[in-house]
DNA sequence: TCCCGCATCTTGACGTTGACAAGATGGCAA
DNA sequence: TTGCCATCTTGTCAACGTCAAGATGCGGGA
């Protein structure tokens, strides 16, 4: 009852309080429970039970249930930002940023699901806002580079188009709306569709008509 | 306490039971409440209160809270099917089907939000399955016509691409993820992006380079 | 016209939940 | 050693979803 789910690879818990790094343990338990049964049925008390702490234990770290979900959303946006940055950094391909987006949605599904349920957390939370800003910067930076100079007026539109495409694909895959043979290889599907919707990888959208 | 929110244009309530057409009244109240504060915070007892019925009133019509949401999802898919069919029928344009999809998502937002939260209702419900099948038939029928003969192997991919695009756009708009100047005219945005991603309205996706 | 069956709704109760207040615990700085 | 305060516990409350059992009253058969 003193050392919870501390990951072995975790270096330092910053502080070992009365019962270990409770905040992290709660977040990990929440992530696992969301992965198993979705964010809708999440219960604070069940999280506390699973971690071995009293039912009001979480209150001090996240004041609300909303507070816990806000922390999860913020962490999700941070991880998404890292994933996209890593994908762009290692490939230089804008298409691969989209693939990384879909990959993140499926691999880190608990975070992704919470992130896009804005009625479940506080979107104006500073950490959320900051992490979201970082994601935007990464994506639009990549788009600017891809389009080249003198295309500033198209950056926003292209960005929204690309975001819509991969976000929709991720959502439909997660929600089980796609035929199984396509849902089996989401990354391949993303490349196929992305390359088809864009003239070629890392080139601009087609001109209208 | 005997005649609830019966719409004046409604022809016949099929049966005027003890307290009117309760089932319809409950669904309408639920829709309104979801529109005001999202589906996450929906409360069966509050719906019952609003309609003026006891807290267990809904039980007989929808056995569960899940049952009520299932009914909403089914109705949503039916309305979506009608909207898409009407759009295609009146314009013959596949792009306009996409525009209708986004328009539906925003105008009938309560339905749309429930429909794509599969952990909140029973997706294997017969009514849901039937209504969903109708939507699929409409969309893929339109795609087949658009692509012309001999393109059967591309129908699925093109369908998923188009669906992803408009679904993502609808979701991002609803969730407030788009910059305000773009979110102000969702239908125009859909036409711009749709026409850009596709070679031209009602033509195939670009071939991959 | 009466009456009875059954769909419809109510009443009451139970276990669970999120939230709050107040108290216990124990590490750490002085 | 002492006292502070972050941390966690205990106790309580209203609200919720669900179930069981009872009341209500419409409509068909006599």
């Amino acid at each position: 009852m003193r050392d919870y789910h501390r990951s072995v690879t975790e270096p330092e818990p910053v502080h070992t309080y009365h019962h270990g790094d409770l905040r992290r343990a709660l977040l990990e338990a929440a992530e696992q429970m969301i992965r198993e049964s979705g964010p809708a049925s999440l219960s604070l008390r069940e999280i506390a039970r699973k971690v071995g702490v009293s039912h009001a234990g979480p209150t001090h770290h996240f004041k609300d249930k909303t507070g816990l979900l806000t922390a999860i959303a913020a962490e999700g946006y941070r991880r998404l930002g890292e994933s996209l940055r890593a994908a762009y950094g290692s490939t230089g391909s804008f298409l691969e940023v989209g693939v990384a987006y879909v990959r993140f949605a499926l691999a880190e599904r608990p975070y992704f699901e919470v992130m896009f349920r804005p009625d479940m957390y506080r979107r104006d939370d500073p950490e959320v806002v900051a992490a979201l800003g970082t994601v935007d910067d990464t994506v639009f930076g990549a788009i600017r580079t891809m389009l080249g100079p003198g295309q500033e007026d198209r950056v926003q539109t292209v960005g929204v188009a690309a975001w819509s495409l991969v976000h929709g694909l991720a959502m439909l895959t997660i929600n089980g709306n796609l035929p199984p043979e396509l849902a089996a290889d989401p990354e391949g599907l993303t490349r196929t569709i992305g390359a088809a919707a864009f003239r070629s990888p890392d080139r601009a959208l087609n001109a209208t008509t």
Side-chain angles (χ1 to χ4, degrees), chain A:
Chain A
M1 192 119 33
R2 46 216 107 274
D3 195 18
Y4 299 102
H5 307 265
R6 179 97 40 73
S7 170
V8 179
T9 63
E10 271 322 315
E12 15 139 35
V14 174
H15 256 130
T16 293
Y17 297 115
H18 292 190
H19 293 72
D21 194 349
L22 180 57
R23 186 186 154 94
R24 177 181 302 268
L26 290 170
L27 286 174
E28 288 177 358
E31 180 199 341
Q32 185 184 339
M33 289 174 53
I34 296 175
R35 175 166 272 121
E36 284 164 2
S37 40
S41 62
L42 194 68
S43 153
L44 266 189
R45 287 171 107 106
E46 196 182 341
I47 296 175
R49 244 176 273 132
K50 178 176 234 165
V51 170
V53 93
S54 85
H55 68 261
T59 304
H60 185 260
H61 294 277
F62 323 91
K63 109 169 206 244
D64 265 330
K65 184 180 185 180
T66 302
L68 191 152
L69 289 169
T70 302
I72 289 189
E75 174 67 14
Y77 279 116
R78 277 191 291 267
R79 294 191 185 197
L80 176 62
E82 289 169 20
S83 296
L84 300 189
R85 221 171 312 123
Y88 188 60
S90 67
T91 67
S93 158
F94 183 61
L95 177 61
E96 287 304 317
V97 175
V99 173
Y101 189 94
V102 174
R103 187 167 44 229
F104 175 87
L106 299 179
E108 308 279 29
R109 176 172 166 170
Y111 291 104
F112 192 78
E113 287 194 275
V114 173
M115 286 155 64
F116 292 97
R117 269 170 158 82
D119 55 338
M120 282 193 152
Y121 66 96
R122 283 182 273 276
R123 172 170 264 150
D124 54 350
D125 176 84
E127 291 203 47
V128 170
V129 173
L132 200 93
T134 302
V135 174
D136 277 2
D137 291 348
T138 302
V139 171
F140 285 103
I143 293 175
R144 253 178 274 270
T145 304
M146 175 182 82
L147 288 179
Q151 302 280 345
E152 192 57 34
D153 53 338
R154 295 181 60 211
V155 167
Q156 238 185 11
T157 308
V158 171
V160 170
W163 192 7
S164 295
L165 195 70
V166 293
H167 187 74
L169 188 54
M171 279 294 189
L172 294 175
T173 305
I174 281 182
N175 288 344
N177 285 105
L178 299 188
E181 61 271 30
L182 291 185
D185 177 24
E187 297 189 29
L189 184 59
T190 307
R191 289 198 181 86
T192 303
I193 289 178
F198 287 70
R199 195 181 286 282
S200 75
D202 301 331
R203 291 294 304 275
L205 276 176
N206 300 316
T208 311
T209 314

